[in-house]
Amino acid sequence: QVGLQLSVPLFAGGATQSKVREALAMQERAVAELALAQRNADSQVRQAFAGVINGLAQIEALQVAVQAGNSAVEGNKIGFKIGTRIIPDVLNAEQQLFSSVRDLSRARIETITHGLKLKAATGQLQTTDLAALELLLEPLQ
């Protein structure tokens, strides 16, 4: 007598197939998360770059406004001295000048902030950039 016994499992409960499906699903999820991160980084770079470009243009325009404000104040002061202007005209010109100076300072700060965001989004932000920012934020003496 010769006996041969062969045992081949036809179905092992699906554990292997389940693990394969899980691994494929995790790979798809990782690919989707990577694509989302790349889109977010791209969006941040574009926004920061646009902020820097717009800020520079705004700074240039406000510098011209400050110069014009200085001229207006001086003109109104001269006009007040010779009697063709009244004090409210001088005060209004000074108020507009100071508003322009305030807006110019705000535009500079926002442009610097966008520049730092751009460097951060591109991975080029360093401690020296933050140290330079700290020097700019010290009060004037």
Side-chain angles (χ1 to χ4, degrees):
Q1 272 187 343
V2 175
L4 181 63
Q5 185 177 7
L6 181 64
S7 174
V8 178
L10 295 177
F11 187 72
T16 304
Q17 293 173 344
S18 174
K19 289 187 186 235
V20 168
R21 283 194 308 266
E22 180 185 13
L24 289 173
M26 290 177 69
Q27 179 187 15
E28 288 177 20
R29 179 180 174 192
V31 168
E33 287 176 354
L34 176 63
L36 177 64
Q38 287 173 335
R39 285 192 303 271
N40 286 341
D42 184 50
S43 175
Q44 289 174 352
V45 168
R46 288 179 193 273
Q47 287 176 350
F49 182 74
V52 169
I53 297 301
N54 292 336
L56 292 174
Q58 188 175 17
I59 287 171
E60 189 176 323
L62 287 169
Q63 286 172 337
V64 171
V66 167
Q67 290 173 350
N70 280 327
S71 297
V73 167
E74 291 305 315
N76 279 314
K77 283 182 180 180
I78 292 170
F80 177 71
K81 286 180 184 177
I82 62 173
T84 60
R85 294 284 183 190
I86 57 174
I87 197 68
D89 293 337
V90 176
L91 294 176
N92 286 337
E94 286 180 344
Q95 182 179 9
Q96 288 176 353
L97 171 63
F98 293 133
S99 293
S100 295
V101 170
R102 180 201 61 216
D103 293 343
L104 177 59
S105 295
R106 183 176 293 145
R108 284 180 176 161
I109 290 169
E110 288 175 2
T111 302
I112 290 170
T113 303
H114 285 295
L116 292 174
K117 286 179 182 179
L118 179 60
K119 283 187 171 192
T122 58
Q124 297 177 356
L125 185 63
Q126 298 179 1
T127 55
T128 55
D129 298 321
L130 298 176
L133 177 64
E134 186 176 346
L135 290 175
L136 289 173
L137 295 177
E138 288 183 2
L140 299 175
Q141 298 173 352

